[in-house]
Amino acid sequence: MRSPITGENIECPLCQGAGELTRAEILDRLGVKDFARVAQLSAEEAFRLLQSKHDRENQTAWSRFETELAKRTAEIRERHGEELRTTKSERDDLTRRIEASLRELADLRERNQALESELSKPARVAR
């Protein structure tokens, strides 16, 4: 029993319909290019090439972005690192000054107590 002839299956002019061949097989046996198939493959190849180019450009853009981001991050880190070192140095200087002031205050308190005790001696003697 013969199957109905469709767009894909046509009667083979080479064998007078004795066998069923696809359109591409018949055209291939006749040495004729299937222009619809060639056009489809060409379009697929063109799309693949375009997609590949787009992917490369996209990857290049991301690489440039990541490079710029790393550069700017390093600049910011360096600048803030310098500011941090300056601030720590100022803090250390202030800490030393406060400690010196506290030592001086303690010395002044001791001298004040010594003077008060010296001043209180004549008052005790006068009584």
Side-chain angles (χ1 to χ4, degrees), residues 4-21:
I5 298 173
T6 64
E8 275 300 309
N9 294 325
I10 61 174
E11 188 174 300
C12 177
L14 300 175
C15 61
Q16 302 297 320
E20 290 185 13
L21 299 173

Side-chain angles (χ1 to χ4, degrees), residues 44-77:
E44 288 173 356
E45 180 65 12
F47 182 75
R48 188 188 66 72
L49 290 172
L50 185 62
Q51 183 68 38
S52 176
K53 180 183 175 199
H54 174 73
D55 290 346
R56 279 192 311 274
E57 289 172 351
N58 191 29
Q59 185 60 38
T60 301
W62 274 111
S63 294
R64 282 194 315 262
F65 171 77
E66 289 172 351
T67 301
E68 187 66 22
L69 180 64
K71 181 178 118 182
R72 290 185 184 204
T73 302
E75 289 171 359
I76 291 169
R77 186 177 294 123

